[in-house]
Short mmCIF file of all heavy atoms in Angstrom, two decimals:
data_model
loop_
_atom_site.label_atom_id
_atom_site.label_comp_id
_atom_site.label_asym_id
_atom_site.label_seq_id
_atom_site.Cartn_x
_atom_site.Cartn_y
_atom_site.Cartn_z
N PHE A 1 -1.48 3.46 19.88
CA PHE A 1 -2.40 3.53 18.70
C PHE A 1 -2.72 4.89 18.23
O PHE A 1 -3.50 5.10 17.31
CB PHE A 1 -3.73 2.79 19.09
CG PHE A 1 -3.61 1.36 19.40
CD1 PHE A 1 -3.51 0.93 20.74
CD2 PHE A 1 -3.46 0.40 18.40
CE1 PHE A 1 -3.35 -0.43 21.06
CE2 PHE A 1 -3.33 -0.95 18.73
CZ PHE A 1 -3.25 -1.36 20.03
N ASN A 2 -2.15 5.92 18.85
CA ASN A 2 -2.27 7.30 18.40
C ASN A 2 -3.72 7.84 18.42
O ASN A 2 -4.09 8.70 17.68
CB ASN A 2 -1.66 7.54 17.02
CG ASN A 2 -1.37 8.97 16.73
OD1 ASN A 2 -0.96 9.74 17.60
ND2 ASN A 2 -1.47 9.41 15.49
N GLY A 3 -4.50 7.23 19.28
CA GLY A 3 -5.82 7.74 19.54
C GLY A 3 -6.76 7.92 18.35
O GLY A 3 -6.74 7.11 17.45
N PHE A 4 -7.51 9.02 18.42
CA PHE A 4 -8.53 9.24 17.42
C PHE A 4 -7.92 9.40 16.01
O PHE A 4 -8.55 9.06 15.01
CB PHE A 4 -9.32 10.52 17.78
CG PHE A 4 -10.47 10.81 16.85
CD1 PHE A 4 -11.67 10.13 16.97
CD2 PHE A 4 -10.32 11.71 15.80
CE1 PHE A 4 -12.70 10.42 16.08
CE2 PHE A 4 -11.34 12.03 14.94
CZ PHE A 4 -12.56 11.36 15.08
N THR A 5 -6.72 9.95 15.91
CA THR A 5 -6.10 10.21 14.59
C THR A 5 -5.66 8.92 13.91
O THR A 5 -5.82 8.77 12.68
CB THR A 5 -4.88 11.12 14.75
OG1 THR A 5 -5.32 12.35 15.42
CG2 THR A 5 -4.29 11.44 13.40
N GLY A 6 -5.12 7.96 14.68
CA GLY A 6 -4.67 6.75 14.05
C GLY A 6 -3.36 6.97 13.35
O GLY A 6 -2.58 7.86 13.66
N TYR A 7 -3.08 6.16 12.34
CA TYR A 7 -1.85 6.23 11.52
C TYR A 7 -2.13 6.43 10.08
O TYR A 7 -3.12 5.93 9.54
CB TYR A 7 -1.04 4.95 11.72
CG TYR A 7 -0.49 4.75 13.09
CD1 TYR A 7 -1.11 3.87 14.00
CD2 TYR A 7 0.58 5.38 13.58
CE1 TYR A 7 -0.65 3.65 15.27
CE2 TYR A 7 1.13 5.22 14.84
CZ TYR A 7 0.48 4.33 15.66
OH TYR A 7 0.95 4.14 16.96
N ALA A 8 -1.28 7.22 9.45
CA ALA A 8 -1.37 7.44 7.97
C ALA A 8 0.03 7.14 7.41
O ALA A 8 1.00 6.93 8.08
CB ALA A 8 -1.73 8.88 7.72
N GLY A 9 0.03 7.11 6.06
CA GLY A 9 1.28 6.87 5.37
C GLY A 9 1.77 5.47 5.44
O GLY A 9 3.01 5.21 5.38
N VAL A 10 0.87 4.49 5.59
CA VAL A 10 1.28 3.08 5.62
C VAL A 10 1.13 2.54 4.19
O VAL A 10 0.03 2.42 3.67
CB VAL A 10 0.34 2.26 6.60
CG1 VAL A 10 0.85 0.84 6.66
CG2 VAL A 10 0.29 2.93 7.96
N GLU A 11 2.23 2.24 3.62
CA GLU A 11 2.23 1.87 2.18
C GLU A 11 2.94 0.52 1.96
O GLU A 11 3.79 0.12 2.72
CB GLU A 11 2.96 2.94 1.38
CG GLU A 11 2.30 4.33 1.45
CD GLU A 11 3.03 5.33 0.62
OE1 GLU A 11 4.11 4.99 0.09
OE2 GLU A 11 2.50 6.44 0.45
N PRO A 12 2.55 -0.18 0.90
CA PRO A 12 3.21 -1.43 0.57
C PRO A 12 4.61 -1.19 0.04
O PRO A 12 4.92 -0.08 -0.47
CB PRO A 12 2.28 -2.06 -0.47
CG PRO A 12 1.58 -0.88 -1.14
CD PRO A 12 1.45 0.13 -0.01
N PRO A 13 5.46 -2.19 0.01
CA PRO A 13 6.78 -2.03 -0.55
C PRO A 13 6.78 -1.95 -2.04
O PRO A 13 5.83 -2.30 -2.69
CB PRO A 13 7.56 -3.23 0.00
CG PRO A 13 6.47 -4.27 0.10
CD PRO A 13 5.22 -3.54 0.55
N THR A 14 7.87 -1.52 -2.58
CA THR A 14 8.11 -1.51 -4.05
C THR A 14 8.99 -2.73 -4.36
O THR A 14 10.18 -2.72 -3.94
CB THR A 14 8.74 -0.22 -4.54
OG1 THR A 14 7.88 0.85 -4.21
CG2 THR A 14 8.99 -0.29 -6.02
N LEU A 15 8.46 -3.70 -5.06
CA LEU A 15 9.21 -4.93 -5.36
C LEU A 15 9.13 -5.17 -6.88
O LEU A 15 8.11 -4.91 -7.52
CB LEU A 15 8.62 -6.12 -4.65
CG LEU A 15 8.72 -6.11 -3.10
CD1 LEU A 15 8.01 -7.31 -2.49
CD2 LEU A 15 10.18 -6.11 -2.67
N PHE A 16 10.23 -5.73 -7.40
CA PHE A 16 10.32 -6.06 -8.82
C PHE A 16 9.98 -4.85 -9.70
O PHE A 16 9.42 -4.99 -10.82
CB PHE A 16 9.34 -7.25 -9.17
CG PHE A 16 9.49 -8.39 -8.24
CD1 PHE A 16 8.47 -8.72 -7.35
CD2 PHE A 16 10.65 -9.17 -8.26
CE1 PHE A 16 8.60 -9.79 -6.50
CE2 PHE A 16 10.75 -10.26 -7.41
CZ PHE A 16 9.76 -10.58 -6.51
N GLY A 17 10.33 -3.70 -9.18
CA GLY A 17 10.06 -2.49 -9.99
C GLY A 17 8.63 -2.05 -10.00
O GLY A 17 8.27 -1.15 -10.76
N LEU A 18 7.76 -2.63 -9.15
CA LEU A 18 6.33 -2.31 -9.10
C LEU A 18 6.01 -1.71 -7.78
O LEU A 18 6.44 -2.17 -6.75
CB LEU A 18 5.52 -3.59 -9.34
CG LEU A 18 5.61 -4.24 -10.70
CD1 LEU A 18 4.76 -5.54 -10.69
CD2 LEU A 18 5.09 -3.34 -11.84
N TYR A 19 5.19 -0.61 -7.85
CA TYR A 19 4.65 -0.01 -6.65
C TYR A 19 3.32 -0.71 -6.41
O TYR A 19 2.33 -0.53 -7.18
CB TYR A 19 4.43 1.50 -6.77
CG TYR A 19 3.83 2.16 -5.58
CD1 TYR A 19 4.33 1.98 -4.29
CD2 TYR A 19 2.65 2.93 -5.75
CE1 TYR A 19 3.75 2.56 -3.23
CE2 TYR A 19 2.09 3.56 -4.66
CZ TYR A 19 2.64 3.37 -3.38
OH TYR A 19 2.05 3.98 -2.32
N TRP A 20 3.22 -1.53 -5.38
CA TRP A 20 2.08 -2.44 -5.21
C TRP A 20 0.79 -1.83 -4.80
O TRP A 20 -0.24 -2.49 -4.60
CB TRP A 20 2.47 -3.57 -4.27
CG TRP A 20 3.44 -4.51 -4.85
CD1 TRP A 20 4.79 -4.45 -4.78
CD2 TRP A 20 3.15 -5.61 -5.73
NE1 TRP A 20 5.37 -5.47 -5.51
CE2 TRP A 20 4.39 -6.17 -6.12
CE3 TRP A 20 2.00 -6.15 -6.23
CZ2 TRP A 20 4.49 -7.27 -6.95
CZ3 TRP A 20 2.06 -7.24 -7.06
CH2 TRP A 20 3.27 -7.83 -7.45
N ARG A 21 0.77 -0.47 -4.64
CA ARG A 21 -0.49 0.19 -4.38
C ARG A 21 -1.09 0.76 -5.69
O ARG A 21 -2.24 1.23 -5.67
CB ARG A 21 -0.26 1.37 -3.38
CG ARG A 21 -1.57 1.73 -2.67
CD ARG A 21 -1.43 2.90 -1.77
NE ARG A 21 -2.70 3.31 -1.22
CZ ARG A 21 -2.91 4.50 -0.67
NH1 ARG A 21 -1.89 5.36 -0.59
NH2 ARG A 21 -4.08 4.82 -0.20
N ASP A 22 -0.38 0.65 -6.76
CA ASP A 22 -0.99 0.98 -8.04
C ASP A 22 -2.16 0.07 -8.32
O ASP A 22 -2.13 -1.11 -7.96
CB ASP A 22 0.02 0.90 -9.20
CG ASP A 22 1.06 2.05 -9.14
OD1 ASP A 22 0.71 3.11 -8.54
OD2 ASP A 22 2.20 1.84 -9.66
N PRO A 23 -3.21 0.52 -9.02
CA PRO A 23 -4.40 -0.28 -9.16
C PRO A 23 -4.22 -1.68 -9.66
O PRO A 23 -4.73 -2.69 -9.08
CB PRO A 23 -5.27 0.55 -10.11
CG PRO A 23 -4.87 1.93 -9.90
CD PRO A 23 -3.36 1.85 -9.59
N ILE A 24 -3.51 -1.89 -10.79
CA ILE A 24 -3.40 -3.17 -11.41
C ILE A 24 -2.56 -4.16 -10.58
O ILE A 24 -2.99 -5.25 -10.28
CB ILE A 24 -2.90 -3.09 -12.82
CG1 ILE A 24 -3.95 -2.34 -13.71
CG2 ILE A 24 -2.59 -4.43 -13.40
CD1 ILE A 24 -3.52 -2.17 -15.14
N PRO A 25 -1.32 -3.77 -10.11
CA PRO A 25 -0.58 -4.67 -9.27
C PRO A 25 -1.33 -5.02 -7.97
O PRO A 25 -1.30 -6.16 -7.52
CB PRO A 25 0.72 -3.93 -8.97
CG PRO A 25 0.86 -2.97 -10.14
CD PRO A 25 -0.53 -2.56 -10.46
N PHE A 26 -1.96 -3.99 -7.37
CA PHE A 26 -2.65 -4.27 -6.08
C PHE A 26 -3.81 -5.21 -6.33
O PHE A 26 -4.09 -6.12 -5.50
CB PHE A 26 -3.13 -2.96 -5.47
CG PHE A 26 -3.69 -3.10 -4.11
CD1 PHE A 26 -2.87 -3.12 -2.98
CD2 PHE A 26 -5.08 -3.21 -3.93
CE1 PHE A 26 -3.41 -3.27 -1.72
CE2 PHE A 26 -5.63 -3.36 -2.66
CZ PHE A 26 -4.80 -3.37 -1.56
N TYR A 27 -4.53 -5.05 -7.42
CA TYR A 27 -5.67 -5.93 -7.71
C TYR A 27 -5.20 -7.37 -7.87
O TYR A 27 -5.84 -8.31 -7.29
CB TYR A 27 -6.38 -5.46 -8.98
CG TYR A 27 -7.41 -6.47 -9.48
CD1 TYR A 27 -8.69 -6.52 -8.92
CD2 TYR A 27 -7.11 -7.32 -10.48
CE1 TYR A 27 -9.63 -7.43 -9.38
CE2 TYR A 27 -8.00 -8.27 -10.94
CZ TYR A 27 -9.26 -8.31 -10.40
OH TYR A 27 -10.22 -9.23 -10.84
N TYR A 28 -4.14 -7.60 -8.65
CA TYR A 28 -3.68 -8.95 -8.83
C TYR A 28 -3.16 -9.58 -7.58
O TYR A 28 -3.31 -10.78 -7.35
CB TYR A 28 -2.67 -8.99 -9.97
CG TYR A 28 -3.30 -8.95 -11.35
CD1 TYR A 28 -3.00 -7.89 -12.24
CD2 TYR A 28 -4.15 -9.94 -11.75
CE1 TYR A 28 -3.57 -7.84 -13.49
CE2 TYR A 28 -4.73 -9.86 -13.05
CZ TYR A 28 -4.44 -8.85 -13.88
OH TYR A 28 -5.02 -8.80 -15.13
#
């Protein structure tokens, strides 16, 4: 679990030409 620091850089995949962490795709 990498202790106190934890993990960073965990991102959703890019599907159908959309980056799913962008506000509108992520909201829907």
